[in-house]
Amino acid sequence: MSNTSTRTLVLNALFVALVFLLGMTPIGIIPLGTINLTILHIPVIAGTLFLGLKSGMLLGFIFGLCSTLSAFGLSLTAPSALAAALGAKSPLLLIAMCFVPRLLVPVITWFTKIMLSGNEKRAYLADSVASILGSVTNTVFYLSLMVLFYSLAGLDVNNLIHKLGIHGLNFFGVIGVIASGAGGLEALASFFIIPPVVAALNKVKKLTFGSY
């Protein structure tokens, strides 16, 4: 195995370990009762920008796996009420809801970076925009699939919302609050954290390994 392949393998392993560690604990998937807030998109997006699309897809898969395990109560993070309700009605739809958005995150992130990266001076801007769109992709597709799958599963969503103690909002209102609140925080965190981290990683890589 060449030195380049070994380095790539090691870096992939480190990112996978980070995503899995965060994803199996309340550090990465933060329980809020009705739904869980996540920061797992941050290492997935950072890994995609730093290592490429293939590595990003692997990280997206691990993100989806952790999300699925959490939704079924198989991690240290309690499943959100909305995910648990869907899982009780249709486990397959829940699995799809956990995996599909997470696999789309690296795709949108990578192709946004490719389209915007004209030269080295624009790399930081490209990473910034890609980070935001990657985060928004996760939020929009996850919540959109939740709405779609709740309908397909025949769940009485408004009755569920009332049982959770949420009054004055219907299901779509709750989704809107989650999208603007939790989704907005996740996008802001991506914008401020990921680009400088990726820039620092690229600088360390260049100083340590040169171009490879």
Side-chain angles (χ1 to χ4, degrees), residues 108-200:
I108 299 299
T109 298
W110 182 250
F111 284 104
T112 300
K113 176 183 175 67
I114 292 299
M115 286 188 293
L116 296 179
S117 293
N119 53 56
E120 191 170 336
K121 292 181 179 179
R122 293 176 58 184
Y124 193 91
L125 173 62
D127 287 349
S128 299
V129 176
S131 298
I132 294 174
L133 289 183
S135 178
V136 170
T137 295
N138 180 57
T139 300
V140 169
F141 278 91
Y142 184 83
L143 295 178
S144 297
L145 287 180
M146 179 180 287
V147 171
L148 174 63
F149 291 165
Y150 261 64
S151 176
L152 292 176
L155 285 165
D156 186 349
V157 291
N158 289 321
N159 183 48
L160 173 64
I161 293 299
H162 292 148
K163 284 184 178 180
L164 293 174
I166 300 173
H167 303 289
L169 288 175
N170 60 17
F171 182 60
F172 291 100
V174 172
I175 293 297
V177 170
I178 294 169
S180 59
L185 288 174
E186 291 171 4
L188 280 175
S190 299
F191 175 75
F192 285 110
I193 294 173
I194 297 172
V197 168
V198 172

